[in-house]
Amino acid sequence: MQLTRLCQPQWNRERAVDVGCGSGQSTFVLQPHFKEIIGIDVSSTQIEEAKKLLNHDSTITFKVGPGESLPFLDRSCDLVTCCQTIHWLDIPKFYSEVDRILKPGGILAVFGYHFTGPSPNVPNHKEIEKLRKELYEITQPFWDSKRALVDQGYTTIPQIPYSNSFRDESHYTDVEGTLDDFIGYITTWSGFRAFQNVQGNLEAGQLLQTFRDKCLDLLLKSADSEVEVHREDLLLSTPKVALRTNYFLLVGQKPDHPEK
């Protein structure tokens, strides 16, 4: 796990809290590294979905609650994480509450991720990424204004109030997929769904079809290049496209003694 690699080896790993856990994707990642993990989200629907994934012997529990009022005793937690959520919170209140529950030496890790796009090894990936950005610009008026904080990689939010802190942007994940997987991902964008609700299914479908046609054309143009392209897939209109997601991580360590 990237987070544990970046932190000190002597770091205590008794209890971790995942704030804004949603359906638990960022919570389950912690399971091999902590004795007790609690995921918290303001949405009861998300928490119910997360609970469906629990095993009977799981060390994870899920609770409904806000990130600005956490149900833990003072100095009782070793790690607090917040994945792609902090922009929805009252950030100063969240930081204050985290400081209350963290043990001295405990860690706050705030992280998020940019839009998934073509991996650099995809032919004409820069041109395909440009098309993705153009599609985002079309749907941008339909996104919540707080989306801009994510686009800026959390560089403009109040920073973690600990002197021992750092930022890391080295982590990314690559997955093998297809052009249709890429388009399917775009349909999950909240901004695209809002666009579809307002503009209608026909216009939304045309937007995706135009995007798909332009991407396919770029991939076909590269089929005879030195880069390996699965031409048989292209002819079937199901080209393989490796997809990359870049992450940004903000980490702060609570001092052993109050800072002046």
Side-chain angles (χ1 to χ4, degrees):
M1 187 175 79
Q2 182 81 348
L3 177 60
T4 56
R5 182 183 68 80
L6 291 168
C7 294
Q8 298 178 5
Q10 66 270 27
W11 181 29
N12 194 357
R13 301 182 186 181
E14 295 290 328
R15 174 188 281 174
V17 178
D18 185 26
V19 176
C21 65
S23 60
Q25 291 182 343
S26 57
T27 315
F28 285 99
V29 173
L30 300 170
Q31 190 163 19
H33 306 281
F34 288 85
K35 294 180 180 179
E36 180 187 12
I37 306 102
I38 303 96
I40 295 179
D41 198 278
V42 71
S43 169
S44 58
T45 301
Q46 291 282 2
I47 290 297
E48 288 306 311
E49 289 300 311
K51 287 180 177 179
K52 292 177 183 178
L53 303 176
L54 290 173
N55 297 321
H56 70 279
D57 59 347
S58 178
T59 56
I60 298 176
T61 57
F62 290 103
K63 298 180 179 181
V64 177
E68 299 89 346
S69 180
L70 299 170
F72 304 102
L73 297 176
D74 296 357
R75 300 187 173 193
S76 62
C77 302
D78 301 290
L79 170 71
V80 176
T81 61
C82 187
C83 177
Q84 200 83 342
T85 300
I86 195 170
H87 55 287
W88 297 115
L89 304 178
D90 182 320
I91 298 177
K93 287 185 178 180
F94 170 67
Y95 284 159
S96 177
E97 186 69 346
V98 169
D99 186 65
R100 180 184 67 79
I101 68 171
L102 275 181
K103 298 175 184 177
I107 299 289
L108 169 60
V110 175
F111 53 106
Y113 46 87
H114 294 291
F115 283 117
T116 296
S119 178
N121 65 349
V122 173
N124 292 321
H125 75 276
K126 291 183 179 180
E127 290 80 1
I128 294 174
E129 176 62 7
K130 182 179 178 181
L131 291 174
R132 199 276 308 158
K133 289 181 178 178
E134 290 174 355
L135 197 153
Y136 174 50
E137 289 173 0
I138 292 171
T139 64
Q140 197 163 21
F142 299 88
W143 290 81
D144 189 284
S145 61
K146 291 186 177 181
R147 171 69 213 187
L149 298 175
V150 181
D151 293 340
Q152 294 154 0
Y154 290 164
T155 57
T156 56
I157 67 170
Q159 296 302 289
I160 295 174
Y162 296 141
S163 60
N164 185 13
S165 61
F166 65 88
R167 180 182 180 90
D168 182 85
E169 299 182 14
S170 64
H171 184 62
Y172 63 85
T173 57
D174 283 340
V175 296
E176 293 298 325
T178 66
L179 179 56
D180 288 337
D181 291 332
F182 190 21
I183 294 170
Y185 155 72
I186 290 170
T187 65
T188 69
W189 291 357
S190 62
F192 177 81
R193 290 178 177 175
F195 173 91
Q196 187 175 32
N197 289 336
V198 174
Q199 303 299 114
N201 292 335
L202 179 61
E203 187 168 344
Q206 290 173 341
L207 185 66
L208 291 178
Q209 188 61 53
T210 299
F211 175 77
R212 189 183 196 283
D213 290 344
K214 290 181 178 180
C215 288
L216 187 59
D217 183 57
L218 287 168
L219 292 168
L220 283 168
K221 284 181 179 178
S222 67
D224 297 322
S225 70
E226 295 180 0
V227 181
E228 181 183 359
V229 176
H230 300 271
R231 191 172 185 83
E232 68 279 10
D233 290 332
L234 293 175
L235 294 174
L236 292 170
S237 297
T238 57
K240 295 179 180 179
V241 178
L243 300 173
R244 173 167 292 188
T245 305
N246 291 293
Y247 292 79
F248 44 91
L249 171 67
L250 288 68
V251 175
Q253 185 173 34
K254 181 176 178 177
D256 291 330
H257 305 286
E259 295 181 310
K260 296 181 179 180

